[in-house]
Amino acid sequence: MRIAAVTCVKNEGPFLLEWIAYHRLLGVSDFLFYSNDCSDGTDLLLTALAERGLVQHLPNPAEGRNYQMEALKHARHQPVVEGADWVWIADVDEFVNIHVGDHGFAALIEAAGDVQAISVTFQFFANCGIQRFEDRPVIAQFDRSHTPDLWNGQTAIEVKTLVRKDFPLQYYGAHRPFFSAKLAKSERPRWADGSGRAVPHRFLMTSSQDWIRKFPARGARRLATLNHYALRSLDSYLVKNDRGDVNREHRDFDLGYWQARNDPAWQDRSIQRHLPALTDALADLMADPEIAQLHHRCVDRHRARCAELMQMPAYRSLRQSLLDTPAMPAAECALIKELEATT
């Protein structure tokens, strides 16, 4: 079985090897990376990995502002995707956490049954009070998240989707594939959530904007969860803010984005079952002197950029604001203020 992972990156160099090594452990056989406007050495590291046959690396073909969608349109016609049995589209801060069998993609696919797509629900992992960037696995550092079935006051939570080759594809989206609205009912895809249940009809048919890429999370993670480390350390978040969104121009990662994802109410260390194997896999990659050198260059540039940002008053102010922002959802903060006002 061939599983192709497709992703877009910009200045994600320090985190590439972990993401690749982790997904190889889960059974990903092929990687297709699109990079754009990298200044930290991400593109150089990917090129070196590609020369060794570990990944495929292409410049993002986007001519407009929607980098990810244009890359996904291009990816569909690449041999690595056309030849795959399954396609997994995700970002480098997203790690699928499979709870069944040997915790690999094959176990998830078997448990989900005869389906053409599996949509796995996000779980947003908090910053956990970690200020300094450390060059060690992200999945080892961050182990607290919101209560799984409720995020930022919402019961419907976004997903990412594993897509089988016989899916009646119209086009790939970042969160889910799309099929033609004209498709006969009998030809609609068999589509499961992260518990193997049929996805809600409104999600399947994209009946409204609210249902295009999310559905209620309750009970949807029995087979798998998508751990999303959107914040990482405070240092890395500032660099992310400076970088902007890899997928769209002019999108800021501000206080609201931070607070919505920095809810530490729940501890979940289940993904750390992979740490021993991941440590060995990373050591194997770093045994190549050029790969190790390029990785360390990315790490050094990441730290240097954070130091540069701290020379700017706006970023010093942002850093302090992030430290001062309560680690709870905005809706909960608003409720507390309302209750305080009435007492």
Side-chain angles (χ1 to χ4, degrees):
M1 182 169 61
R2 302 202 68 83
I3 301 174
V6 181
T7 190
C8 300
V9 291
K10 177 181 178 181
N11 289 353
E12 291 280 11
F15 310 105
L16 288 178
L17 294 185
E18 178 188 3
W19 196 81
I20 292 167
Y22 179 87
H23 284 84
R24 288 175 72 183
L25 292 175
L26 268 60
V28 171
S29 55
D30 303 279
F31 296 84
L32 177 56
F33 283 88
Y34 288 92
S35 67
N36 62 281
D37 304 321
C38 296
S39 58
D40 74 340
T42 290
D43 49 349
L44 300 177
L45 177 54
L46 286 172
T47 296
L49 291 165
E51 289 171 349
R52 289 153 176 78
L54 298 174
V55 306
Q56 294 190 32
H57 174 218
L58 295 172
N60 196 302
E63 296 179 358
R65 293 170 53 187
N66 202 339
Y67 296 107
Q68 188 171 43
M69 290 308 298
E70 293 189 51
L72 293 180
K73 182 179 179 181
H74 186 269
R76 180 179 179 179
H77 303 292
Q78 296 302 300
V80 67
V81 172
E82 291 180 330
D85 298 297
W86 293 83
V87 176
W88 174 244
I89 296 169
D91 299 330
V92 175
D93 58 3
E94 297 165 355
F95 291 72
V96 63
N97 183 12
I98 297 167
H99 307 308
V100 292
D102 65 358
H103 310 294
F105 272 114
L108 170 62
I109 290 165
E110 181 180 5
D114 184 19
V115 296
Q116 295 162 287
I118 305 169
S119 287
V120 184
T121 300
F122 280 2
Q123 190 167 326
F124 296 98
F125 278 73
N127 162 260
C128 297
I130 296 174
Q131 295 188 32
R132 299 301 180 191
F133 163 76
E134 293 185 36
D135 182 21
R136 63 189 186 95
V138 167
I139 68 168
Q141 297 181 65
F142 306 97
D143 61 3
R144 302 199 70 91
S145 75
H146 56 91
T147 302
D149 292 347
L150 184 69
W151 172 66
N152 204 35
Q154 302 176 31
T155 56
I157 301 176
E158 292 180 341
V159 299
K160 288 292 177 78
T161 304
L162 183 66
V163 185
R164 202 166 76 180
K165 63 181 178 182
D166 62 347
F167 186 96
L169 186 69
Q170 185 177 31
Y171 64 92
Y172 288 117
H175 291 262
R176 48 87 55 82
F178 292 84
F179 58 90
S180 172
K182 298 178 181 179
L183 204 63
K185 183 177 180 180
S186 61
E187 297 176 347
R188 292 172 188 165
R190 299 180 300 280
W191 197 328
D193 69 5
S195 287
R197 310 174 303 184
V199 295
H201 183 73
R202 283 185 287 177
F203 172 83
L204 178 72
M205 302 305 298
T206 63
S207 58
S208 72
Q209 187 68 30
D210 288 343
W211 285 83
I212 286 179
R213 60 186 192 180
K214 62 184 178 181
F215 50 74
R218 186 174 182 180
R221 296 189 178 90
R222 184 176 62 84
L223 305 179
T225 301
L226 187 60
N227 289 20
H228 190 188
Y229 302 94
L231 305 183
R232 303 181 181 128
S233 68
L234 180 56
D235 282 353
S236 292
Y237 187 74
L238 293 174
V239 175
K240 177 176 181 173
N241 187 281
D242 172 61
R243 179 203 75 189
D245 193 344
V246 66
N247 301 327
R248 295 188 297 279
E249 284 186 334
H250 311 308
R251 179 190 181 191
D252 293 328
F253 297 104
D254 55 11
L255 285 173
Y257 185 98
W258 171 275
Q259 187 175 17
R261 290 157 180 80
N262 196 30
D263 180 355
W266 186 269
Q267 187 172 55
D268 184 350
R269 294 177 174 168
S270 59
I271 199 170
Q272 293 180 4
R273 58 181 154 242
H274 293 286
L275 275 176
L278 178 62
T279 300
D280 290 343
L282 283 170
D284 287 343
L285 288 172
M286 293 287 282
D288 184 314
E290 184 181 4
I291 296 300
Q293 179 186 32
L294 290 169
H295 169 77
H296 290 307
R297 182 183 298 177
C298 291
V299 166
D300 291 344
R301 289 183 178 178
H302 190 78
R303 289 185 171 129
R305 186 55 184 160
C306 186
E308 291 169 0
L309 294 175
M310 286 301 93
Q311 301 305 308
M312 304 177 190
Y315 273 91
R316 289 199 299 272
S317 177
L318 174 60
R319 187 179 193 278
Q320 190 59 51
S321 296
L322 293 170
L323 287 171
D324 293 341
T325 300
M328 64 177 67
E332 189 172 337
C333 288
L335 178 61
I336 290 172
K337 289 182 179 179
E338 182 179 340
L339 292 173
E340 288 176 345
T342 60
T343 58

